[in-house]
Amino acid sequence: MTAPIAPATTSASPAPADPPSTPPAPAGTRVPRRGSSRAGRTLHAGPLAYGILIVAVLFSAFPFYWTIVAASRSNADLAKVPPTLLPGPNLIRNFEAVLEEADIGKALLNSLIVSGSITLGTVLCCTLAGFAFAKLRFRGRGALLAITIGTMMIPPQLGVIPLFMLIAELGWVNQLQAVILPGLVSAFGVFFMRQYLVQSLPDELIEAARVDGASTARIFWSIVVPIARPGMAVLGLLTFMAAWNDFFWPVIALTSSEPTVQVALRQLGGGYVHDQSVIMAGTLLGTLPVLLVFGLLGRQIVGGIMQGAVKG
């Protein structure tokens, strides 16, 4: 009698053990992130850095604060030693004196027209020229760029007499186009936009657009302008401030009947003793539009500066 055969059992390989779990870190322990490096850590400023920044901000903001103080005081208060450092009650009165002594409303409108036109023309023309010098290949590109940059070394005072003779022949004396047209293009703007587009605009993007059949104009409006927008914002603010604060050429080409803000400020505080409080009130009125423009474009300006400073 044979013994019953036991059924065969298949020996299965044991399942792999789970990896040991990492014990939780104690409370208050800083766990480093994966892939974090020493160079990627956030640096925290110390008390010395904050102190230096506070002193720099105070020194930078004090002239504007003193303008507000002087505009709200009388001329006698400003002559005191030591001078007062708190705003006074005469701000509205000094603003009324500014409106009586000069046509500041018309001057603000003229400055807005002149500065806005120069800003738009400079940003558009300099972006076009910068794109051409940065990415297009044509004969004489290096020589033309060198000549453009070389014009920055010529003092603008040397061209005042020929320029005034030209606008006199055209009959533009005491007209706003005499101030607008000479400032529509700047060598600095061309060089600035050229350097910005060299770093921010890849050649492969233009080649891909060429393969798709896009023309140069289409490439400029659809590709270059969106990429160059932060740089255009920076150039626009710098141009607007320069055009708004320009005094030398407007005082030659314009008269008191068609003034800009800087020309109108020359008429304030007249007399044997200049009324500094009225002059400061007019200066404060002329500064507010620039602050408004900076407030509107501040984020794009900071972003454009950072993109131009850090490549990639």
Side-chain angles (χ1 to χ4, degrees):
M1 181 175 182
T2 60
I5 300 174
T9 58
T10 58
S11 61
S13 61
D18 295 335
S21 59
T22 304
T29 304
R30 187 176 179 181
V31 180
R33 293 178 300 175
R34 289 187 178 180
S36 61
S37 61
R38 186 170 184 147
R41 291 188 302 177
T42 302
L43 300 179
H44 298 278
L48 179 61
Y50 280 109
I52 295 175
L53 289 176
I54 291 173
V55 172
V57 169
L58 291 178
F59 271 99
S60 302
F62 181 77
F64 182 70
Y65 175 75
W66 174 249
T67 303
I68 298 176
V69 172
S72 61
R73 290 284 178 174
S74 63
N75 211 30
D77 293 337
L78 298 180
K80 293 180 180 179
V81 179
T84 180
L85 296 178
L86 297 177
N90 298 331
L91 184 62
I92 303 301
R93 185 184 308 171
N94 291 334
F95 281 161
E96 294 175 352
V98 170
L99 297 177
E100 292 176 0
E101 295 183 15
D103 194 357
I104 198 70
K106 186 176 183 179
L108 287 172
L109 179 60
N110 288 342
S111 289
L112 183 61
I113 295 173
V114 170
S115 302
S117 301
I118 291 177
T119 301
L120 291 177
T122 299
V123 169
L124 177 60
C125 296
C126 292
T127 305
L128 280 167
F131 168 60
F133 283 124
K135 298 300 178 180
L136 300 184
R137 301 292 182 264
F138 55 91
R139 183 176 300 177
R141 183 182 65 167
L144 290 176
L145 181 61
I147 294 173
T148 302
I149 298 175
T151 58
M152 298 172 61
M153 305 177 187
I154 302 175
Q157 292 80 3
L158 295 180
V160 168
I161 295 178
L163 185 57
F164 185 81
M165 294 174 62
L166 177 61
I167 67 169
E169 289 291 334
L170 296 174
W172 290 353
V173 178
N174 198 28
Q175 296 183 17
L176 296 182
Q177 59 262 32
V179 183
I180 294 174
L181 292 181
L184 288 181
V185 181
S186 67
F188 168 77
V190 173
F191 178 73
F192 177 83
M193 293 308 302
R194 187 258 179 192
Q195 294 299 110
Y196 185 87
L197 292 175
V198 163
Q199 295 188 0
S200 302
L201 183 61
D203 294 336
E204 293 79 6
L205 198 59
I206 299 178
E207 294 174 358
R210 294 286 190 194
V211 171
D212 292 339
S215 62
T216 303
R218 179 64 182 275
I219 293 174
F220 177 78
W221 290 111
S222 301
I223 298 177
V224 177
V225 171
I227 292 177
R229 190 172 296 149
M232 294 167 68
V234 176
L235 179 61
L237 177 68
L238 297 177
T239 305
F240 186 87
M241 291 180 61
W244 187 274
N245 296 324
D246 189 16
F247 173 77
F248 181 69
W249 175 243
V251 79
I252 295 174
L254 303 176
T255 62
S256 57
S257 61
E258 287 289 340
T260 58
V261 169
Q262 309 306 324
V263 177
L265 291 179
R266 189 184 58 164
Q267 307 172 15
L268 300 177
Y272 184 75
V273 178
H274 294 288
D275 194 341
Q276 299 294 332
S277 60
V278 175
I279 296 176
M280 287 298 182
T283 304
L284 182 60
L285 283 176
T287 308
L288 293 179
V290 178
L291 296 178
L292 179 62
V293 171
F294 184 81
L296 294 175
L297 301 178
R299 295 184 61 182
Q300 294 189 11
I301 291 165
V302 175
I305 294 175
M306 295 303 297
Q307 288 187 17
V310 182
K311 183 178 179 181

